[in-house]
């Protein structure tokens, strides 16, 4: 089963443990954003109603629910939905390869952060370093203490385990690999276009662009 194979909406709702109504409400509020979306041409033709959901969408929703269970606010996570999607899909090959990945959501009420780390201690250290580097000199404003940081961290492997358990419980087939290999995605646009046409994915396209830029930098250094 190819990782980008669409999952029927009825089954998808079971994987994310939401009713159809709740899923639609989350999407309307910008708190659920499918990776694969309709093009403007499809919307003009009225074909935007045909939703496409994939396993990675379900995994991202499980990650969000785990962050909320840890104390984060769903509305707050909505501020960084795009960054969260990009961070998760950027590490799905690591997850499929058995590596430990933790997803972090942190904020101080004004600045919002999504990052990943191999463990909780590393996640805490990276979060502290980020806010320290990006925090203004508060003394100039007569503020003696730095703002408190809200920090939430979940294991991507735990989210995948939850997703697979739900799939087994409801007898729903999901891919053995949640994400295409780098070779499959780097092979070119034809594979992706064939898998999701006539729709598109701005998040996947951005990730591909980042991958190509990294590859170009590595080639220039060699």
């Amino acid at each position: 089963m190819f990782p980008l194979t669409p999952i029927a909406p009825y089954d998808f709702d079971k994987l994310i443990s939401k009713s159809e109504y709740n899923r639609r409400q989350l999407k309307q509020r910008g708190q659920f954003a499918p990776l694969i979306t309709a093009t403007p041409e499809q919307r003009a033709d009225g074909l935007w109603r045909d939703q496409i959901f994939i396993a990675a969408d379900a995994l991202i929703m499980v990650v969000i629910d785990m962050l909320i269970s840890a104390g984060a606010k769903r509305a707050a996570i909505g501020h960084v939905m795009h960054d969260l999607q990009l961070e998760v899909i950027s590490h799905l090959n690591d997850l499929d390869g058995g590596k430990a990945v933790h997803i972090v959501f942190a904020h101080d009420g004004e600045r919002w952060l999504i990052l990943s780390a191999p463990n909780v201690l590393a996640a805490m250290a990276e979060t502290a370093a980020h806010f320290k580097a990006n925090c203004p000199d508060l003394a100039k404003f007569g503020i003696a203490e730095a703002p408190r940081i809200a920090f939430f961290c979940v294991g991507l492997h735990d989210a995948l385990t939850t997703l697979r358990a739900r799939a087994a419980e409801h007898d729903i087939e999901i891919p053995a690999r949640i994400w295409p290999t780098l070779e499959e995605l780097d092979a070119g646009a034809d594979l992706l276009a064939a898998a999701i046409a006539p729709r598109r994915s701005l998040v996947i396209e951005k990730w591909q662009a980042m991958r190509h830029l990294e590859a170009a930098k590595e080639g220039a250094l060699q």
Side-chain angles (χ1 to χ4, degrees), residues 4-216:
L4 300 183
T5 300
I7 298 172
Y10 178 74
D11 287 338
F12 184 80
D13 292 340
K14 291 181 179 178
L15 292 177
I16 65 173
S17 193
K18 300 283 186 294
S19 67
E20 179 184 359
Y21 174 80
N22 286 340
R23 186 237 307 155
R24 290 181 181 275
Q25 287 295 304
L26 291 172
K27 188 172 184 293
Q28 197 171 50
R29 296 171 190 150
Q31 295 165 358
F32 167 51
L35 291 168
I36 298 174
T37 59
T39 61
E41 294 78 13
Q42 280 185 284
R43 294 190 184 95
D45 291 338
L47 299 177
W48 57 271
R49 295 180 183 85
D50 188 12
Q51 300 289 302
I52 291 293
F53 305 123
I54 58 176
D57 287 317
L59 183 62
I60 290 168
M61 288 297 287
V62 173
V63 168
I64 291 172
D65 283 345
M66 291 177 67
L67 288 169
I68 291 169
S69 294
K73 302 297 183 184
R74 192 178 294 276
I77 296 174
H79 287 287
V80 290
M81 179 62 69
H82 181 84
D83 291 339
L84 176 61
Q85 290 178 305
L86 193 58
E87 193 69 30
V88 170
I89 68 172
S90 294
H91 291 281
L92 289 182
N93 284 146
D94 293 334
L95 183 65
D96 284 330
K99 293 183 180 179
V101 180
H102 286 72
I103 300 296
V104 170
F105 167 57
H107 68 87
D108 63 2
E110 294 183 1
R111 286 168 291 274
W112 311 84
L113 173 67
I114 290 288
L115 60 79
S116 58
N119 55 61
V120 177
L121 288 178
M124 293 175 67
E126 289 188 37
T127 300
H130 172 87
F131 280 99
K132 183 177 181 180
N134 291 278
C135 188
D137 184 0
L138 299 176
K140 294 191 302 183
F141 304 98
I143 301 175
E145 296 183 1
R148 300 179 70 174
I149 306 300
F151 172 88
F152 310 97
C153 180
V154 300
L156 199 53
H157 181 269
D158 294 334
L160 180 58
T161 298
T162 298
L163 179 64
R164 293 205 182 282
R166 289 177 182 172
E169 178 185 355
H170 297 288
D171 196 23
I172 300 170
E173 183 182 8
I174 60 174
R177 288 186 295 103
I178 295 299
W179 200 243
T181 64
L182 299 180
E183 291 75 19
E184 287 173 332
L185 283 177
D186 287 345
D190 291 345
L191 175 69
L192 185 60
I196 68 175
R199 299 162 187 81
R200 67 179 306 185
S201 175
L202 296 176
V203 176
I204 297 176
E205 289 171 10
K206 183 175 180 179
W207 182 75
Q208 285 181 301
M210 290 169 56
R211 281 273 309 148
H212 293 153
L213 181 60
E214 290 173 2

